[in-house]
Amino acid sequence: MRRFLRPGHDPVRERLKRDLFQFNKTVEHGFPHQPSALGYSPFLRLMAIGTRSGAIKLYGAPGVEFMGLHEENNTVMQIHFIPDQCQLVTLLDDNSLHLWSLKQHGGASELREEHRFTLKGPPGSPPSATQVTAVLPHSSREVLYLGTESGTIFVVELPSLRVLEDRTITPEAVLQRIPEDNCSRRSCELVEALQEHPKNPDQILIGYSRGLIVLWDLQNNKAAQHFLGSQQLENLYWQRDGSKFISCHYDGSYTQWPVSSDNRQAEPLENTVPYGPFPCKAISKIYWQTTKNGVPYIIFQGGMPRASYGDRHSISVIHGSQQTAFDFTSRVIDFFIIFSSDPAAEFDDPSALVALAEEELVVIDLKSAGWPAVHPPYLASLHCSAITCSHHVSNIPLKLWERIISAGSKQNIHYSSMPWPIDGGTNIAPDPPQRDLLLTGHEDGTVRFWDASGVCLHLLYKLSTVRVFLTDADPNDNMNTLGEDEWPPLRKVGTFDPYSDDPRLGIQKIYLCKYSGYLAVAGTAGQVLVMELNDEDAEHVVDHAEADLLQDQEGYRWKGHEKLKTRDGPVRFEAGFQPFVLVQCQPPAVVTSLALHSEWRLVAFGTSHGFGLFDHQQKRLVFVKCTLHPSDQLALEGPLSRVKSLKKSLRQSFRRIRRSRVSSRKRRGAGGTASEVQEANAKFDQDALQEMELAPVQRKIEARSAEDSFTGFVRTLYFADTFLRDSSRHCPSLWAGTNGGTVYAFCLRVPPAERRMDEPVRAEQAKEIQLMHRAPVVGILVLDGRSTPLPEPLEVAHDLSKSPDMQGSHQLLVVSEEQFKVFTLPKVSSKLKLKLTALEGCRVRKVTVANFGSCKTDDYSENDLAVLTNLGDIQIISLPFLKLQIRYPCIRKEDVSGIASCVFTKYGQGFYLISPSEFERFSLSTKWLVEPRCIVDMPEVTSNNHVHNKSGTENAARKSSPDDCGEDERKSGRLMEHALLNDEKVLKEIQSTLEGGR
């Protein structure tokens, strides 16, 4: 009984656990899912993006990121920064307004929600009376102007968000000052745009949907001038000097209007339909930017001919004789122009166009010839092609890192060299301690290499496997080529391209050896490519080999997709990772597991039919092993087969349920003779005793039938140099675990280096272990004599790890979906096990060995297992004693795709997809934590409106008040008194003065 007792509370171990383990969700990498609004502050040089789920994210210089979440989870419709302040206002689709502030706390800035407010009309009024359609933060920084569907403009005080009813601008007040023959009551319905006069803050431009535009005098509460457009209005934009403004319309036209001092109806200067004369789509937004050479930039969204280009998402730039319509592959949400924000500047001189599309952010350099795109340092479109798998590599050697960057820079020659123009704030986070790579495989056959060292997930290099195969698309096709006379002058921009030429190209498994530079990539149609890094372009023949995993067994017929056709003859590859050998599995099923041993020059691969071993130095197949069970007919249909055996799957599920119920009835022993009842009771007592003896996390696991489908599915492959035949000699070995709970072990004979090319690698099956409960094997690990996991290939040769202990006995850890089991080697006798709770339906989905270092001392670290379950929680389990250390809830159990996409790092961090375009990063370690830490200083605003930046150092930030960033130094009267009495610094000074006087 003693061995079943749970250990008592160990305070020393509990303290150590606090020093080792801590769960944090740190940062979201990638592009926000379903963006809905865009804002920009030229004063702070920060950009804000709102989403349909109510999130708001601020971005500045690389590493400067903030995130907020509205409690309502409603769509963010509009974002407006308060001029010359560290504040912004968001409008949600439930008509609520929210005031956010950037405030400094603990030496860093934080985004906080200060107030919320919903505009309410008089009792009995319809919802349209207060439905906000336009928001204008006034340059006085004291009020907001809110235009509504009813045509009424409400004035709201800042920061209290209180309606100033005496300053409301009603449609009736506007109509009283406009001649009756020009407009009617319906002309003042729905405020489409509000714009402040750039030179006179006492005047605002009001644009109504039906085409009426009014220049309103705020001081005298009257219309200074009115303009009557003939088309439905979309938006307005002031020219810099305030002498003219531009209106854009629903019919694809824009109009210039002069502004004069006399109160009369103005006539338009010029009306232009840029893509006429045929009917065109609406121009929803327009900029008119002045330059020193006198030729303006006219930049607008939409306006394409309806019949031929009505499905295009475009932003056009016109500068003299230059005209380009940038064509986006997803809907454009909004855009803004970065130009000179100095009020004293005479010209706009635009430098960049920033466009937020539904699936990506695109920045265009307007200063360079040809208007090239700017390579973004963050907000990468991870899902430019759907992500199919991920692979993380920690602590990349500097030489390999530089070679990957060099290969990537040759791909980026078409990008602009312009520095990133959105550069507000200061990143004060410490430099990353090491170089980390995150590799993502995609549906279109590409692998992308991301710098995952810090807060910004930055693309370093893109590898394409398409050139090896014959597909419908020619890789040399250039989508951006334009004919000289083509009209409209469309040009594709962005990287988002969700359409794959062939779904068989999809990448399923990736394995990179950071020491040798070898890369193995496996795909949907059974293709396994082995590559090596080359710094120059090269043209060579890719060697082919075929692995027949069915081994000519009769009675099996593959019903899935065909293999990919390969190119004959030499193939030209760009600098970077270049394939030199292709192994094609037959049948061409999805590759489900992959392992690479660069020291032995071997690659192992597995599918739902079996696994094989390939010698990529001699380019020959070593062996194949068929794991197919006679009942595995589903494994022969393939993922792309039209015939899905849903009925068979359901039938087997119901059979399992029925067997479970029958067995439970038998255990109850209800009815029957007295002897049968007595026997049943004894059996029940025995079962109950067994249940009591086991620890709470160790419940009985129901065995699975050998007839379950996909039992031959190979889940994991593992290379190890260990004792397999006897305890005196160790040898290279390959281990494979299947979906049916079987573990195969093969002894390998790898010739020494001097005879490596002359003698073949030989393999012989040495062990076969069948787990009694037949749960899928998801991980295999060998521990050396010190109970330490064996080092990676070439890790010891590079002096980055201790040599494994080959004197003591080795142990084998087999991780199935339902339990962890330790065996002794070479006898393979059971030594220790830990069962998960089968009653809760808990199953292991991901497992890896992670190194956890103490945050208190650099002298202590330990290896533990990081485990993700199908319930979305993460468990840390000690090695080699398999004791549960701690459990954290991480992912919602309903988020199946998030759980499936999770990847752990070697040092206790992890990534998982929270949407098709975003990775959530989390940390389980107290020592390894990557999270944004930045400050946004409050620039000083002088009386002549010139802007001077304060020092961006952390010391300056710490000296400032926590509320410096959000307070307005120019308020007067009651607002100034309220601000002073709520300023902690002022209160402390008053208190110290009083105490000194006393």
Side-chain angles (χ1 to χ4, degrees), residues 462-519:
K462 184 179 84 170
L463 162 71
S464 177
T465 62
V466 178
R467 288 184 181 273
V468 180
F469 306 102
L470 287 169
T471 58
D472 296 334
D474 185 352
N476 296 317
D477 284 348
N478 188 354
M479 297 293 288
N480 291 337
T481 53
L482 285 176
E484 292 182 4
D485 301 324
E486 185 174 342
W487 188 262
L490 290 164
R491 190 176 105 198
K492 286 270 186 194
V493 288
T495 58
F496 179 72
D497 183 12
Y499 307 108
S500 173
D501 298 323
D502 193 327
R504 295 174 296 173
L505 290 168
I507 306 299
Q508 297 295 331
K509 295 291 174 183
I510 306 169
Y511 197 104
L512 172 67
C513 175
K514 61 186 178 183
Y515 304 112
S516 64
Y518 282 112
L519 172 69

Side-chain angles (χ1 to χ4, degrees), residues 565-576:
K565 294 179 180 177
T566 54
R567 293 179 184 272
D568 296 326
V571 182
R572 183 158 190 82
F573 298 103
E574 297 175 339

